[in-house]
Amino acid sequence: MNKLTAAITAVGSYVPKFIMTNKMLEDIVETNDEWITSRTGIKERRILKPDEGEGTSYLAIKAAQDLIDKKKLDPKEIDLVIVATATPDSMVASTAAFVASEIGATNAFAYDLLAACSSFLFGMSNASGYVASGKYKKVLLIGADKMSSIIDYTDRTTCIIFGDGAGAVLFEPNFEGLGLQDEYLRSDGNGRAYLGMEGGGSIMPATIESVKARKHFIFQEGRTVFKFAVSNMADVAEKIMVRNNLTHENVSWLVPHQANKRIIDATAKRMGLDDSKVLMNIQRYGNTTSATLPLLLADFEGKFKKGDNLVFAAFGGGFTWGSIFLKWAYN
Ligand SMILES: CC(C)(COP(=O)(O)OP(=O)(O)OC[C@H]1O[C@@H](n2cnc3c(N)ncnc32)[C@H](O)[C@@H]1OP(=O)(O)O)[C@@H](O)C(=O)NCCC(=O)NCCS
């Protein structure tokens, strides 16, 4: 029997119905469509309104249900549910545990994985590791974020970027050499000075003062984050290519975190990739944090062929970043 690997065998996704366009943001902060489009590539983003549902778990459950329906999967067969997120429903109680119960994954254990915009990428390492070790057979990895819950809609440097959404993938055993091949994952804690949320954690619990000072919203030093993201995402993607003998010809698709079109373009350029191989939907969803990678897989699933070489790359708060090489396992 061939070596056991862990492959993605199904995908699902969900985005909220409400579309917030750049034009709408012009009425909220001093900005304009031209500035947002030229600096980020974003045209619109989805926002979860209270009349549709509440919390990150709502998005995660919808994405998981989409996968379960498409795959005709019996949720009782799922061994583990991981929710990759930067915006859990609440602190302490696991969002993933609630999601698992709601989708009927009653035989699974579940936990959240928090690594900012790299949460899903790091989750791929976790999920595939459990499967490739032979420990579990069906691991559901969901990337979900309700970024609108931590966005300051008076801060034009952050509110234009982020949106809400969720995507899910199922990892299962593979004996054809497909699935996850290699990973290079990194972090640097000095980055927390440049991108994060000061309030709400153990250093700064919520007080009247912290709320008044708007400390429960995400902040970023955009220019610094941009510089780190451009060089680090390109570095790791290049490293993954070199050590797996990948070239611009045999890489089928770049699956990059959707933070900024200019960051994606720079990564693709360093990899020598033609635009036609670079997956992008940032114009429609903005940066959905943990959901960007699975939303790409769901949107472009129809284009993938069994054996295609996919290179994932992401960068996020912390800082956290990395790249993964995965062979697609189905047509
Ligand atoms: C945020 C970001 C789009 C800003 O683009 P930028 O080209 O770096 O722009 P700067 O921050 O240098 O600002 C340029 C000018 O535009 C202004 N500006 C900032 N946001 C604006 C907006 N929404 N609309 C119009 N003008 C804006 C700034 O105030 C600044 O004005 P000044 O020159 O008079 O001081 C960009 O830095 C970025 O994408 N950074 C990475 C963010 C990211 O990806 N975060 C998540 C990581 S996972």
Side-chain angles (χ1 to χ4, degrees):
M1 195 161 58
N2 286 332
K3 187 175 166 247
L4 168 63
T5 54
I8 292 176
T9 59
V11 303
S13 67
Y14 182 77
V15 289
K17 292 184 192 72
F18 181 76
I19 298 172
M20 183 183 273
T21 62
N22 289 350
K23 203 92 201 125
M24 289 174 184
L25 281 168
E26 286 180 12
D27 296 332
I28 301 171
V29 286
E30 202 185 321
T31 190
N32 59 75
D33 176 42
E34 200 282 317
W35 192 96
I36 301 172
T37 308
S38 62
R39 300 287 174 123
T40 69
I42 301 165
K43 296 297 281 183
E44 57 189 44
R45 66 288 292 144
R46 301 298 180 108
I47 304 293
L48 182 63
K49 295 276 190 182
D51 59 355
E52 186 181 351
E54 276 172 353
T56 292
S57 62
Y58 176 85
L59 301 166
I61 290 163
K62 288 277 193 188
Q65 275 167 345
D66 182 42
L67 182 150
I68 287 166
D69 292 347
K70 279 179 12 197
K71 179 81 175 161
K72 297 188 176 53
L73 175 71
D74 177 358
K76 291 196 176 56
E77 290 179 11
I78 299 170
D79 300 302
L80 163 63
V81 176
I82 301 173
V83 173
T85 187
T87 52
D89 279 3
S90 66
M91 298 305 287
V92 185
S94 158
T95 301
F98 180 70
V99 171
S101 294
E102 289 294 301
I103 62 172
T106 46
N107 294 313
F109 74 107
Y111 62 85
D112 300 346
L113 193 158
L114 280 77
C117 288
S118 304
S119 300
F120 187 84
L121 190 84
F122 290 8
M124 288 174 69
S125 171
N126 271 219
S128 67
Y130 283 120
V131 173
S133 70
K135 210 169 187 181
Y136 302 116
K137 288 197 165 59
K138 284 185 169 46
V139 178
L140 182 66
L141 170 64
I142 308 168
D145 268 304
K146 185 184 171 186
M147 292 306 291
S148 59
S149 65
I150 54 167
I151 293 300
D152 181 353
Y153 285 95
T154 66
D155 174 8
R156 67 178 182 172
T157 66
T158 55
C159 74
I160 57 151
I161 291 174
F162 294 96
D164 303 338
V169 301
L170 185 68
F171 274 93
E172 289 188 276
N174 184 281
F175 296 96
E176 298 176 292
L178 302 172
L180 200 137
Q181 307 292 311
D182 193 16
E183 62 184 44
Y184 184 61
L185 309 178
R186 312 285 306 136
S187 64
D188 175 2
N190 294 314
R192 78 174 182 180
Y194 309 108
L195 173 61
M197 191 168 84
E198 286 179 278
S202 53
I203 290 180
M204 191 190 289
T207 58
I208 289 169
E209 289 71 32
S210 73
V211 171
K212 278 187 181 158
R214 310 185 80 78
K215 296 293 185 188
H216 298 270
F217 295 120
I218 191 169
F219 72 88
Q220 66 172 353
E221 211 178 285
R223 230 173 284 185
T224 309
V225 176
F226 185 88
K227 268 191 238 157
F228 273 96
V230 163
S231 59
N232 286 332
M233 245 171 82
D235 281 354
V236 290
E238 191 177 36
K239 187 158 187 113
I240 277 288
M241 282 179 79
V242 169
R243 71 185 195 188
N244 291 283
N245 299 319
L246 293 169
T247 65
H248 65 281
E249 278 165 1
N250 60 15
V251 168
S252 314
W253 307 102
L254 169 63
V255 191
H257 174 51
Q258 308 284 293
N260 185 312
K261 183 176 182 301
R262 291 184 290 144
I263 297 173
I264 298 168
D265 289 344
T267 305
K269 193 170 170 202
R270 176 92 80 86
M271 296 168 74
L273 288 188
D274 191 80
D275 281 355
S276 62
K277 293 184 168 188
V278 181
L279 302 188
M280 205 144 15
N281 55 15
I282 191 171
Q283 65 279 9
R284 290 190 289 137
Y285 305 139
N287 181 349
T288 53
T289 301
S290 313
T292 60
L293 300 181
L295 277 176
L296 284 174
L297 296 181
D299 279 4
F300 293 92
E301 186 187 18
K303 286 188 179 288
F304 303 153
K305 297 204 171 45
K306 189 171 172 180
D308 273 2
N309 292 326
L310 275 59
V311 174
F312 294 75
F315 182 86
F319 293 133
T320 54
W321 71 100
S323 181
I324 283 180
F325 167 34
L326 175 138
K327 280 186 179 289
W328 197 249
Y330 62 96
N331 287 315

